Structure formats: structure tokens, C-alpha cells
Amino acid sequence: MPLDPSRTVAELHELQELTGDADGAQRVAWTDTWVRAKDWLDEKVPLEAKVDEAGNQWWTLPGRSEKAVLIGGHIDSVPNGGWLDGALNVVAGVEVMRRLVEEGKPAATVRLVNWADEEGARFGRSLFGSSAAAGSMADQDELRSRKDADGNALPDVLAEHGVDLDRALEARKQLENAAAYLELHIEQGPVLESLNLPLGVVLGTFGVERHLVTFRGQAAHAGSTPMDVRRDALAGAAKLELEIRDIARATGDDAVCTMGSVVTKPGIVTSVVETAECMLDQRNLDAFALGAMLEAAKNASERIAKGENIEVEWERIWQIEPILFDENLIQLADEAVQEVAGISRRLPSGPLHDAAEVSRAGVPTVMLFVQSLRGLSHTKLEDTKEADLELAVRALDRLADRTIAWVESRA
Ligand SMILES: [Zn+2]
């Protein structure tokens, strides 16, 4: 049975029929629809599924070596999500597994994994299953207190799905023999489309610096306070928002800075703004450049505050280092993409993925991106040309073979 990439496309449509509606994909983790998607997936794989302590679903094809090549993705989606985000990786992985099963015992063990709750859509915490397997799962006390929009506690909902939060980290043993991790994903951005390329090789995931920047001025009457004596906190926020764009551009092509939220107080039309709380998100693949971007934004905010006669204060909300994928696997991925598409391109990933968690755990990792149309994702408008999807399945398949040989050569 040779590889049949058109079957992957047909199965992705089938999954969307089964678990989506007019508003898009509805495979939110820890819901009945998610369970239906997982059962559907299990029926497709010609191997028996095992579920680990974090709710991840594994299918294992034993090879001549216990060293394992992992192919991973996530079948969960955001509410009203796209038909490809996450699902492409696992459904393409199924097709590669079928081909391998048919050919008999591979040189290395090959395992397909469907990570539990990559999106974090219901409880606001993403990468649940992969961070448990990687041993990097955030504070479990904090997870215990999480509730969904209806007030259901996370541990209770997990228990309904057979997952005991206290034992989730036991999923770590799944990575014991992992020698390589491969993940195919839609790009979710506009870069490959702008270059007219179907496929790309991912260098790593951006480091992120996320801060709450608070400007403080003085509330004052909008009618009685002359312009030149105002201490307007919103002026600080507005000037900083414009300046972070220049800071990102000056840092390099890939750098991004976003002020995604500004909350003003007192927030009434008859008062000068006393406090403006800004959420600033900065990302780069280079840790040094990311640090420099942060410094530049801090310096700018202080200069702006001085000029406006207001104060500024920074508080870090979240941070993650850039995660660089494996040089050898990047090379193999380049070769695989060149073989099927004639041309390859290396690019960073702005979003985080399960691959970042696996890589952090020390497993050599690489990702393939396939072009997204209009760069849209997390919406029902998310789409990719079917011809490109088929090329992506072929590239994953070629990469799997090359990686099995690479793992064998290192044994
Ligand atoms: Zn995804």
C-alpha cells in the first residue's frame, strides 16, 4: 500500500463533517466532540492506541531499535476553529504510519502521538499534554484552581476524561526512548504564501517577553484642565505603541512587538486618563535580540513618561526563551521538502507548538510548515490548497524515512 496523500485530504474533510459546524471546527479539548474526534482517529490507525497519564493518545510501531521517532500533532481545536490546525499533523501522521506498517518492521520504532489540549481553549492553559510529557508543566497548584467559563474546575473535568492531574507528569516516561520528534503544521501566517512556496522548514519557536506596562498620570476634569498642565497617562501609552513598531523593524525581519490591550482609568469621557495599563508582547528567535528589544522599549517608555510628566512601571507577566530546533533534523527536513517541492525555505515560528515542549525536554525536534492561505488561522476561514496539503503529507513521509535512517546511524 503506497502513500496516498489524497486520502489525508479526504479524511480531514470527513473529520470536519463529524466534528465541525457552520461556524468551524468544534474539537475543544475535554469535550464530547473532542472525544468523538479521538475515537475517529483511533479507528484510522492500524495500531492499538494507548492513552498516557496526561490524556495523550499514542500508537507505536515497534522497530528493530527501541529508539523512537515520534510524529506528533493535536486533534483539539479552538471553538469556531479551522479544519487544519493540529488535525493536519495527526491525520498526515496516520497516512505515514499506514505506509510504515505495510512495509514491516522499521529500523527504529515509530510512534504517532495526539497531544491532549494543545490549544488550552477551555481552561486558558495551552500545551497541556506535551508539557506534561516534557516535564515542564507549569505549577500544578495553579492548574488545580483553574475553572472554565461555566465554573467547572479543571481537575474535575480531567477526571471525567480519565486523567488524574496529580499523576499527569507520569507521562514523562513516554519520552524516555524518544530520539527524534517531527511535527507538520499549517504556517498560520502569511510568509510562505507571500513567497509563493508550498512548504518551509521551521528553525524554532520565538522567545516571548510579555509585560504589563502601566503609565500613571493624574485624573482631571476634561473641561477645566488646560492642555499644557495635563498629566495624561494615555499619551504615554499611545506614544509607546507607535514606538514599538520602529523597535521591531529596527531589530530585524522576524521581530514582532504588539500592544494588544490598553485599559484606561477612570475611563470616562469627562476625565483625563489617570492610568493606562498596556499589555506588551515582544517575540524574536534570537534571545539576545529579544533582550535588546525589551531594553529599547523600556528606555522609550521612560523617555516618553518624562516628556509627558507621568510615571511608568513594568511588570513581567510571562516569558519564554527562544527554542531552536535540531540542526541535523533541519537539514533532513530541508532535503525532504526539496525532494517533494523542489525548493525549501527556513523560517521561524511565531506561535508556540507542542514541538517546543518536546524540544525543551531535550529530544531533537523539527517542524514542517505548509502554506496557509491569507495567513488565517483560529477561524473557519483557515485554509490551505489541497495540492499543498498533499505535498505536505509527502514531505512528512520523506522526512520520517530520513529520520529513521538518521536515528539508526546514531545507534
Ligand atoms: Zn496547532
Side-chain angles (χ1 to χ4, degrees), residues 74 85-86 118-119 185 353:
H74 62 93
D85 179 4
E118 190 271 353
E119 300 286 4
H185 207 281
H353 291 284

Side-chain angles (χ1 to χ4, degrees), residues 153-308:
L154 178 137
D156 299 342
V157 173
L158 264 54
E160 284 165 22
H161 291 266
V163 173
D164 176 353
L165 181 59
D166 294 325
R167 294 188 54 202
L169 282 167
E170 290 175 34
R172 268 187 289 194
K173 57 182 178 287
Q174 298 297 332
L175 295 187
E176 269 167 17
N177 282 319
Y181 177 79
L182 313 176
E183 185 171 328
L184 163 68
H185 207 281
I186 52 166
E187 185 200 336
Q188 304 179 286
V191 175
L192 290 172
E193 187 181 37
S194 72
L195 297 166
N196 201 22
L197 294 175
L199 296 165
V201 174
V202 185
L203 291 163
T205 55
F206 278 169
V208 182
E209 283 284 358
R210 201 169 287 165
H211 287 80
L212 178 67
V213 186
T214 305
F215 287 97
R216 281 181 222 289
Q218 176 62 57
H221 197 285
S224 60
T225 317
M227 297 310 288
D228 59 353
V229 300
R230 292 180 180 210
R231 298 178 60 226
D232 181 356
L234 183 57
K239 286 184 169 175
L240 183 62
E241 150 58 21
L242 295 177
E243 199 147 328
I244 57 166
R245 305 193 298 183
D246 294 332
I247 290 169
R249 283 189 201 106
T251 303
D253 286 345
D254 299 328
V256 284
C257 294
T258 307
M259 192 181 283
S261 162
V262 181
V263 176
T264 60
K265 289 175 189 153
I268 52 172
V269 74
T270 50
S271 174
V272 172
V273 171
E274 180 156 288
T275 63
E277 296 179 338
C278 318
M279 300 275 253
L280 180 63
D281 178 290
Q282 300 182 290
R283 304 185 187 214
N284 202 289
L285 191 61
D286 181 293
F288 181 79
L290 179 59
M293 263 180 8
L294 176 59
E295 266 314 295
K298 281 186 174 169
N299 291 341
S301 74
E302 274 151 26
R303 175 171 33 78
I304 291 164
K306 209 169 169 197
E308 293 293 329

